[in-house]
Amino acid sequence: MHRLAFSAGRSVNAASKVSSLRTFASVSSATRNHKVVVVGGGSAGLAISHQLLRTGKFTQDDIAIVDPSSYHDYQPGWTLVGGGLKTKEELRKPMSSLVDSKLKLYNQGVNTFAPEENLVTLGNGDKVGYEHLVVAPGIGIKYDNIKGLPEALADQSTPVSTIYGYETCDKVFRNIKEFRGGEALFTLPTGVVKCAGAPQKAMWLALDHWKKAGLYDPSNVANSPIKISFATALPVMFGVPKYSATLEELRKERGVEAMFQHDLVEINGDKAIFARLDGSEEKVSKRFDLLHVVPKMGPHSFIKDSPLANAAGFVDVEDATLRHKKFANVWSAGDASSLPTAKTAAAVTSQAPVLVQNMVQSIEGKELNAAYDGYTSCPLLTEYGKVLLAEFKYGGQPKETFAKFGVDQAVPRRAFYHLKKDFFPWVYYNNMVKGTWGGPKGWVW
Ligand code: FAD
Ligand code: UQ1
């Protein structure tokens, strides 16, 4: 409440600042001007643009989306590709097919921001002016930050793969299927990553696959052809204690070796080399026969080096209102934002309506009256046919949608598996990107 009241107090100033800037923008050197420019046509950019359109307050070309990509991928589905449950092609759609004809799509990247002038500069040098700016370009995958990783991934003959990219996610299941015995190693790096639960989802599906193939016996690991290790930068299995407890139990039950506080820094042939995060100076080298890597991730440099970024390189917005801390007509949601919660598309389902509501209030000179509580979720595949549905808010406090039905979501269930495998991909393309899906709130608009 305090935070909201504080923001609301600023919104009056914000409204007057915005209207004076509007006049400036209209005489600027911009090639085109729009009421709202949305940077990024990912989960956040598409949901927000279409929700803005659905308010009925915008007409043809009032809202522009800027995105250099020809395609949009349902990234949460790449875990299913890694488990052989979907193809990457079925999860991909042409970007232009997802953008309403009332929106202007610039198929270009944003290079720089000039928030004092209400302008962005595109890759081709064009300038685009705005009254309000939404910054949602996601985060970048920094393959180079693990020595030897780009080469190991690109070489189709190596047993090294990752679900964290379109090019590589199908190599994951190929490697798992072909694996007959030896050391299987799954990693999670230090720093910010999208959906930090995904690497262990890949591991649990692989384990189940090898179990069904008779290559892994959780009750007799010593005599199994395959051994499995999980090397994670965290000191625990998952960042939220309630779910971590279940996952740690599963790990022990299933004979998976844990390498806590290990951060993969190099791949050298069949050796994975780890820095230790427990204060030990010495690196650890582990031989592998199959390696699933999560690359390091971080803010795009065009965000990090911009006036919109905080010290860590994320778009510096208020935790509750999603409005920029310095520029009152700039907003952010999704992975690129500074919002201190796990970076997921599920989080975007709760962020988008808050951002839209607050922007509309701001445009109308009213107090900001919507607040984001940090909701995020990680549907954790624990085997084929079962998912533990972690849902939590700021502070890692569980906020479970199905608690009202007396369901404990830390228990892996078949119904959640069908949500993850069938329902979420369907509702994502049929509703979420079109602006009619509110996540735990169900259908909106
Ligand atoms: P993105 O969806 O990544 O979109 C960013 C967009 O910005 C892209 O279209 C990109 O082309 C564009 N862009 C980049 N640079 C520029 C530029 N210079 N100018 C303009 N546009 C630019 N989430 C879940 O909820 N549940 C899950 O189970 C889950 N599992 C995941 C598993 C994997 C393997 C991965 C990779 C992600 C997973 N996620 C999951 C996370 C989820 O996909 C992201 O959190 C979500 O897509 C973030 O949305 P976003 O719009 O911020 O970024
Ligand atoms: C969700 O809405 C969603 O988007 C379609 C997901 O996929 C990316 C999710 O993983 C989750 C958990 C939600 C949240 C919705 C419910 C009903 C729990």
Side-chain angles (χ1 to χ4, degrees), residues 42-44 66-68 75-76 110 137-138 195 201 302 334-335 344-346 420:
S43 307
V66 187
D67 195 310
Q75 299 171 47
V110 165
C195 193
K201 300 178 198 177
F302 82 101
D335 295 353
T344 67
K420 167 73 191 166

Side-chain angles (χ1 to χ4, degrees), residues 74 76 345-346 349 375 377 379 389 391 401 424 427 432 437 439-440:
Y74 178 65
T349 65
Y375 172 84
S377 170
L389 186 55
E391 286 183 289
T401 304
F424 290 147
V427 85
M432 182 167 165
W437 176 244

Side-chain angles (χ1 to χ4, degrees), residues 369-386:
N369 59 2
Y372 173 58
D373 64 2
Y375 172 84
T376 188
S377 170
C378 187
L380 259 143
L381 291 141
T382 53
E383 61 190 72
Y384 288 98
K386 292 235 174 113

